[in-house]
């Protein structure tokens, strides 16, 4: 009867299934009181609504109704109360307060996983991700709003010289309108204001664009990839995509991406110093302390974690949202340029003060004339307004000289070239985390590189297998006994951090883990017919000792479920595992004692494989008694040795040759044994093939650390390969090289590499294999882990330095010429040929447009033909002094000749003469911009077609100059020039090219010019 009623109701509301599920669930599950109350309430509400709806349907059938003339479509809304009743604040408090009592009330991790609809083995199903984000939030934090354009406009207004100029412009505007009326009187003051506004806007827009670029690079840097388990499959996702209920896989060096609970794992130590300030590492386990806090880093071990809270519900999220993204980092080059700018500014101030003094004296002594040839100051008859107007004009001219003299474009040029380089380096597989690394890399003299993944492909495959002294062919697992096969399955499948996922639709399984783990797992599955799932069901893992770079091995103890026997398995560097063994297995399952002869044979097998560039991994086993707490490390039986081939990267040899040609020494520091290290180093070109290797060129880490300090300092330059090295050995080498005066770049991928990466002048971490700790300790992340990308970074580093030197040469030429011309003209004639507006226009050309044109030149291979730039080499080299002084003297000579003899030479009036001077001066800078492209090469046009921005800026400058001269007469205080006058201006300016070409033939001494002056 009950079944009949339910079947009648079901088509309407499907309440039967609901009743059945609730009743059966209540009977079969052990629920907490809170859950029981929630389920009863839910059942009551749902049942009441269902009954009311049924009654409504019954009455509607009994009453006559009119049939509607429209169709009714029943749309089922998606269920959004999947997580109804879960108190999010409780989830947050459990981890943040480390509340074990609250965790017990939820029936532990298993109870919480069930509440969050998470399967502890397979993870979440991936279908309700949006719902989880809606209910619990996303794993992102609120960032302070980025600085807008208005902020940079306000910053530009804070410049003292700009404020003084605005004050002069306002005074000039007031006097002009009072004297000549608003129609004619606004020109001079208005022109200065417009020019100042133009300089401010261009500077603000440029800084705003760079801020946006740095912000976008920061987003890429923060987008960390992490392993999660979803739908039974281990996969990498962005930390921003993690949701509450996710199962996260954590290994050494990972940053914990959210707050959560320890599910299972081994030997887990966590560094919470970024959150608590405590440097001591904290042990995390399932019983005493299962709490994992976001922002902390995994120092040792591995685990799986259940995510409980994300984003702004975590302490890390709240802390990060309060941190502003100010990029106030001053690179060493920027600091040096600020000092240079300050020094030049002081000279400019002194010159401007002298000009002001001379012009005031000339004015008040009656030695100045107006445009009509009348004396400007006549004592008492001269009105106060006229005096103030003239003094304001003089003061404005002096201030404008300061504006031109102070090369504020230098810091802008550094920012532009660094930002441009960072953007381009991203496309060349290098992500810059610290700006200073861009320029420092150009000075690198030594690169200490890893082997695996950097010089090699990091695509490992097992190519050889030895069972004791017997070589086993591929797919020959049937040649040895079932006992040995079972032990090998355990050695590979249970002593690993890798996993195997079998797709229902694919024949080939999916392997995850490190390249070494994946290679060994795939070999065991394909050649030894290992079944990972069956293996896990037959055994229980008791204790795990994770791999570390010091011992170079990992171990596990397991209990077999069928006979309760306990077995210890070790896996690691072949010679180290062999040293732990006293016996070895043969194919029939018997054990043979390792005597001196057989040990020598086994050592020869390992050396032979290593000499063939194979990484040798050995497996060892021992059966132990119940109650053994630590893993046995003596009296083991050797199970077998595998050789893994990791081919060299195709471009590694060429990249090392490129570095050597550029004067940069490459040293290989690896954890592999001596023979593998030698073979790979020879293959890559670090050691010369066919030549006998000197004793000092290849050492082991233990030798290096056992040298005395004097021996290390003597031998460190000659060492090319260091094998079996620990992270401490790498750090020691970096310190020695720096003491010898080298600029050191170091590559690293492991957590233990962090000290060496921080100690080095440039830390280069690996983007693919690098841990999060290594990346955060580095200056540049090599995204593809390739040595070729490191040589590209080297070239970009030199390009940054070279571009800034080009701009310094260009700007100082303008500074020297403008200062000398205005000073001499002011002292001799009482007026300056270049007005405030004209000098502001020149300032705009050389500062912003010049920086854009010269700071965005791409790197060329010519940069690698020279040795590295030293730490203390002067920014302005002898070559630069030669070039800039030659151009400045040429410009000063020509323009002063025009100033004093121009009216007679061209047969023109004063205004046309001043326009010719202004036009020639600007065009000289345009032509000199081409000269500045190459500091030493005579062919200044090489590669110009590749820099469209340079060509565009030159074109814009010429067009705007034509507009200034021909159409903005009152604004720029110019007169229109005829074709002949334009031809003279262009012809004289074009002489910059042959002068530059001739000057580059002139040799210069190696000793810096300024060193003679200092003596």
């Amino acid at each position: 009867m009950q079944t009949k009623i339910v079947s009648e109701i079901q088509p309407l509301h499907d309440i039967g299934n609901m009743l059945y599920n609730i009743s059966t669930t209540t009977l079969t599950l052990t629920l907490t009181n809170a859950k029981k109350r929630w389920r009863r309430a839910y059942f009551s509400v749902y049942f009441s609504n269902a009954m009311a709806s049924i009654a409504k349907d019954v009455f509607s059938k009994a009453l006559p109704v009119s049939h509607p003339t429209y169709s009714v479509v029943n749309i089922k809304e998606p269920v959004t109360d999947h997580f109804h009743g879960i108190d999010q604040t409780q989830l947050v408090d459990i981890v943040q307060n480390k509340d074990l009592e609250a965790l017990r009330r939820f029936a532990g991790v298993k109870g919480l996983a069930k509440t969050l609809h998470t399967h502890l083995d397979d993870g979440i199903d991936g279908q309700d991700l949006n719902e989880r984000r809606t209910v619990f939030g996303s794993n992102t934090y609120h960032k302070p709003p980025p600085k807008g354009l208005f902020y940079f406009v306000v910053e530009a207004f804070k410049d003292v010289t700009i404020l003084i100029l605005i004050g002069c412009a306002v005074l000039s505007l007031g006097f002009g309108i009072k004297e000549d009326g608003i129609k004619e009187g606004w020109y001079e003051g208005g022109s200065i204001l417009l020019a100042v506004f133009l300089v401010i806007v261009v500077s603000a827009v440029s800084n705003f664009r760079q801020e946006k670029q740095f912000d976008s690079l920061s987003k890429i840097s923060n987008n960390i990839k992490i392993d999660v388990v979803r739908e039974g499959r281990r996969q990498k996702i962005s930390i921003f995509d993690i949701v509450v209920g996710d199962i996260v896989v954590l290994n050494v060096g990972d940053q914990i991406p959210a707050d959560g609970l320890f599910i299972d794992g081994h030997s887990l130590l966590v560094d919470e110093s970024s959150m608590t300030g405590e440097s001591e590492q904290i042990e995390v386990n399932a019983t005493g302390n299962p709490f994992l806090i976001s922002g902390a880093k995994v120092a040792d071990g591995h685990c799986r974690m259940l995510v409980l809270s994300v984003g702004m519900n975590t302490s890390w999220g709240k802390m990060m949202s309060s941190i502003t993204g100010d990029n106030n980092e001053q690179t060493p080059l920027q600091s040096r340029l600020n000092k240079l700018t300050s020094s030049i500014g002081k000279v400019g101030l002194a010159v401007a003060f002298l000009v002001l003094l001379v012009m005031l004296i000339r004015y008040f002594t009656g030695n100045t004339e107006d445009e009509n040839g009348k004396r400007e100051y006549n004592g008492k008859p001269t009105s106060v307004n006229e005096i103030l107007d003239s003094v304001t004009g003089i003061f404005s001219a002096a201030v404008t000289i300061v504006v031109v003299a102070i090369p504020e474009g230098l810091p802008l040029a550094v920012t532009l070239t660094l930002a441009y380089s960072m953007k381009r380096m991203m496309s060349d597989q290098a992500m810059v985390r610290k700006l200073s690394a861009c320029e420092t890399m150009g000075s690198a003299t030594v690169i200490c590189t890893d082997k695996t993944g950097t010089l090699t492909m990091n695509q490992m495959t097992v190519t050889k297998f030895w069972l004791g002294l017997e070589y086993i062919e591929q797919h020959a697992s049937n040649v040895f006994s079932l006992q040995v096969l079972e032990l090998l399955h355990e050695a590979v499948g249970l002593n690993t951090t890798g996993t195997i996922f079998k797709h229902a639709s694919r024949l080939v399984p999916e392997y995850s883990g490190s390249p070494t783990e994946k290679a060994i797992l795939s070999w065991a599955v394909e050649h030894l017919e290992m079944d990972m799932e069956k293996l896990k069901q037959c055994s229980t893992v008791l204790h795990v000792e994770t791999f570390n770079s010091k011992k170079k091995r990992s171990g596990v103890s397991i209990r077999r479920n069928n006979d309760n026997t306990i077995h210890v398995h070790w896996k690691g560097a072949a010679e180290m595992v062999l040293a732990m063994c006293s016996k070895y297995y043969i194919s029939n399952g018997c054990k043979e004692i390792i005597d001196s002869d057989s040990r020598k044979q086994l050592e020869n097998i390992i050396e032979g494989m290593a000499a063939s560039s194979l990484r040798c991994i050995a497996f060892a086993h021992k059966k132990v008694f119940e109650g053994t707490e630590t893993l046995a490390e003596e009296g083991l039986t050797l199970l077998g040795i595998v050789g893994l081939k990791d081919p060299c990267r195709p471009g590694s040899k060429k990249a090392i040759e490129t570095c050597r040609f550029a004067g940069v020494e490459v040293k290989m520091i690896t954890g592999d044994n001596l023979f593998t290290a030698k073979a790979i180093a020879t293959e890559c070109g670090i050691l010369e093939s066919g030549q006998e290797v000197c004793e000092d060129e290849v050492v082991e880490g233990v030798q290096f650390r056992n040298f005395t300090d004097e021996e290390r300092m003597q031998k460190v330059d000659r060492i090319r390969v260091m094998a079996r090295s620990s992270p401490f050995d790498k750090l020691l080498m970096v310190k020695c090289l720096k003491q010898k005066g080298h600029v050191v770049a170091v590559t690293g991928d492991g957590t233990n590499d962090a000290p060496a990466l921080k100690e080095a002048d440039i830390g280069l971490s690996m983007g693919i294999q690098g841990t999060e700790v290594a990346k955060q300790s580095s200056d540049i992340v090599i995204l593809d882990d390739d040595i070729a990308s490191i040589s590209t970074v080297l070239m970009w580093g030199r390009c940054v330095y070279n571009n800034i030197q080009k701009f310094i040469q260009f700007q100082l030429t303008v500074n020297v010429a403008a200062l000398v011309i205005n000073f001499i003209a002011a002292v001799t004639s009482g007026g300056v040929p270049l007005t405030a507006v004209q000098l502001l226009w020149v300032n705009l050309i050389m500062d912003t447009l010049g920086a854009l044109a010269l700071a965005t030149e791409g790197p060329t291979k010519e940069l690698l033909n020279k040795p590295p730039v030293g730490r203390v080499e002067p920014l302005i080299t002898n070559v630069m002094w030669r070039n800039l002084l030659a151009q400045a003297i040429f410009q000063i000579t020509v323009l002063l000749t025009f100033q004093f003899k121009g009216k007679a030479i061209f047969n023109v009036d004063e205004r046309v003469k001043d326009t010719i001077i202004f036009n020639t001066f600007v065009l000289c800078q345009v032509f000199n911009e081409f000269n500045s492209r190459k500091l030493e090469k005579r062919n200044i046009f090489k590669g110009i077609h590749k820099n469209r921005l340079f060509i565009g800026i030159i074109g814009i400058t010429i067009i705007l100059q034509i507009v200034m001269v021909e159409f903005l007469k009152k604004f720029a205080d110019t007169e229109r020039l005829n074709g002949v006058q334009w031809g003279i201006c262009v012809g004289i300016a074009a002489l910059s090219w042959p002068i530059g070409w001739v000057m580059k033939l002139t040799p210069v001494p190696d000793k810096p010019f300024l060193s003679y002056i200092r003596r």
Side-chain angles (χ1 to χ4, degrees), residues 543-593:
H543 184 71
V544 173
E545 187 165 318
T546 53
F547 179 88
N548 67 62
S549 53
K550 186 178 179 182
K551 290 187 175 181
K552 299 193 183 298
R553 62 176 188 258
S554 63
V556 64
S557 65
I558 62 160
R559 184 195 302 277
R560 289 184 183 171
N561 296 337
N562 59 351
D563 59 6
N564 279 335
T565 54
I566 298 172
H567 300 261
V568 171
H569 287 276
W570 284 98
K571 174 184 72 178
E575 68 270 29
M576 293 188 173
V577 172
L578 177 61
M580 299 160 67
C581 297
S582 57
K583 297 175 184 176
Y584 66 91
Y585 277 104
I586 57 176
S587 56
N588 62 8
C590 295
K591 298 177 185 179
E592 296 283 342
I593 293 173

Side-chain angles (χ1 to χ4, degrees), residues 39 76 635 738 885:
R39 283 180 179 265
K76 287 189 176 181
K738 284 181 74 177
L885 288 174

Side-chain angles (χ1 to χ4, degrees), residues 812-836:
L812 290 187
T813 304
V814 185
N815 286 136
V816 171
L819 274 176
V820 173
I821 291 164
N822 271 2
F823 178 70
I824 292 174
V827 170
T828 54
S829 64
V832 288
L834 300 172
T835 66

Side-chain angles (χ1 to χ4, degrees), residues 318-533:
K318 289 170 187 171
M319 185 178 76
M320 291 303 290
S321 66
S322 65
I323 297 172
T324 57
D326 284 353
N327 188 15
N328 296 324
E329 179 193 356
Q330 280 275 311
T331 73
L333 192 55
Q334 282 174 321
S335 300
R336 289 174 74 183
L337 283 174
N338 285 340
K339 289 178 184 176
L340 179 65
T341 302
S342 176
S343 302
I344 296 170
K346 287 172 185 174
V347 173
L349 277 169
V351 171
F353 179 74
L354 283 172
V355 168
L356 177 68
L357 198 65
V358 168
M359 289 179 74
L360 285 172
I361 292 168
R362 287 182 63 85
Y363 174 76
F364 285 109
T365 54
N367 289 315
T368 57
E369 296 176 348
D370 60 16
E371 292 177 355
N372 302 317
K374 295 180 181 179
R375 198 161 68 172
E376 287 185 310
Y377 182 75
N378 298 302
K380 286 184 180 179
T382 308
S383 67
V384 175
N385 282 345
E386 288 176 335
I387 293 171
L388 285 174
D389 192 21
S390 298
V391 169
T392 301
I394 291 167
F395 193 70
S396 176
V399 171
T400 310
I401 289 172
V402 174
V403 173
V404 175
I406 296 174
E408 63 265 28
L410 289 180
L412 175 65
V414 180
T415 307
L416 281 171
T417 192
L418 288 174
Y420 172 76
S421 302
M422 283 172 71
K423 188 177 179 182
R424 289 286 300 275
M425 283 165 78
M426 274 294 288
S427 60
D428 285 341
Q429 302 300 313
M431 184 178 73
V432 179
R433 295 188 72 257
K434 293 179 184 173
L435 279 176
S436 57
C438 282
E439 61 198 46
T440 313
M441 194 64 193
S443 304
T445 55
V446 177
I447 297 173
C448 297
T449 176
D450 285 334
K451 175 189 77 69
T452 306
T454 309
L455 296 172
T456 60
M457 298 281 287
N458 210 9
Q459 295 173 358
M460 297 195 183
T461 50
V462 175
T463 57
K464 287 188 178 181
F465 173 54
W466 288 79
L467 182 67
L469 300 174
E470 185 182 353
Y471 177 68
I472 307 295
E473 296 288 344
Q474 300 281 15
H475 295 284
S477 60
N478 56 347
V479 301
F480 40 80
S481 69
L482 287 174
Q483 179 196 355
V484 173
L485 190 62
E486 185 181 8
L487 287 171
L488 280 169
H489 286 175
E490 290 175 350
V492 174
L494 298 176
N495 187 12
T496 181
T497 54
T499 59
I500 302 171
F501 176 71
K502 291 183 179 178
H503 287 270
S505 57
R506 295 185 197 170
L507 293 173
V508 180
E510 186 178 302
Y511 303 98
S512 61
S514 70
T516 305
E517 297 284 10
K518 288 194 285 187
I520 294 172
L521 284 172
S522 64
W523 165 74
V525 170
E526 292 168 22
H527 301 289
L528 303 182
E529 299 173 357
M530 182 183 78
D531 186 335
M532 192 82 154
E533 289 301 317

